[in-house]
Amino acid sequence: MSEPALAPRNAALGVIVVWAAAFLASVAVGIFVPGEWRVPWLLVTFGGVVLLSFAVQLWYGLTEGFILRVAGSVTGALLLMGIISVGFGLAALASA
């Protein structure tokens, strides 16, 4: 007797979780890290987001579309962190 297949988890949820983590981490770096150390810490944060993306997608447990989900997570996080860092850079220029 065969068991029915379970409904797969929502793949978009893992991507959104990584994007939310990237947003929160980059805002925290922008607020709590001094201006001269922001770029190195944003790079470290991005490395952590890449590792988080792999972990979330491996937890998802489906091989189909793994590369696309990881690429979407990482690319979206990179764009989001870039936009936030530009915002902090413009704020630093405005206050100078």
Side-chain angles (χ1 to χ4, degrees):
M1 185 170 235
S2 64
E3 295 182 22
L6 297 175
R9 296 181 184 110
N10 187 0
L13 182 63
V15 174
I16 292 171
V17 165
V18 172
W19 290 352
F23 175 79
L24 293 174
S26 61
V27 168
V29 166
I31 292 173
F32 296 117
V33 174
E36 63 271 4
W37 286 99
R38 274 194 195 132
V39 173
W41 274 104
L42 281 172
L43 292 173
V44 170
T45 304
F46 181 68
V49 167
V50 170
L51 293 176
L52 177 68
S53 174
F54 276 109
V56 167
Q57 296 308 325
L58 286 172
W59 173 78
Y60 181 70
L62 184 64
T63 58
E64 297 169 1
F66 175 79
I67 299 296
L68 291 175
R69 292 191 308 269
V70 169
S73 298
V74 170
T75 305
L78 179 65
L79 291 173
L80 186 64
M81 291 177 77
I83 291 170
I84 291 172
S85 67
V86 165
F88 280 117
L90 291 175
L93 284 176
S95 66

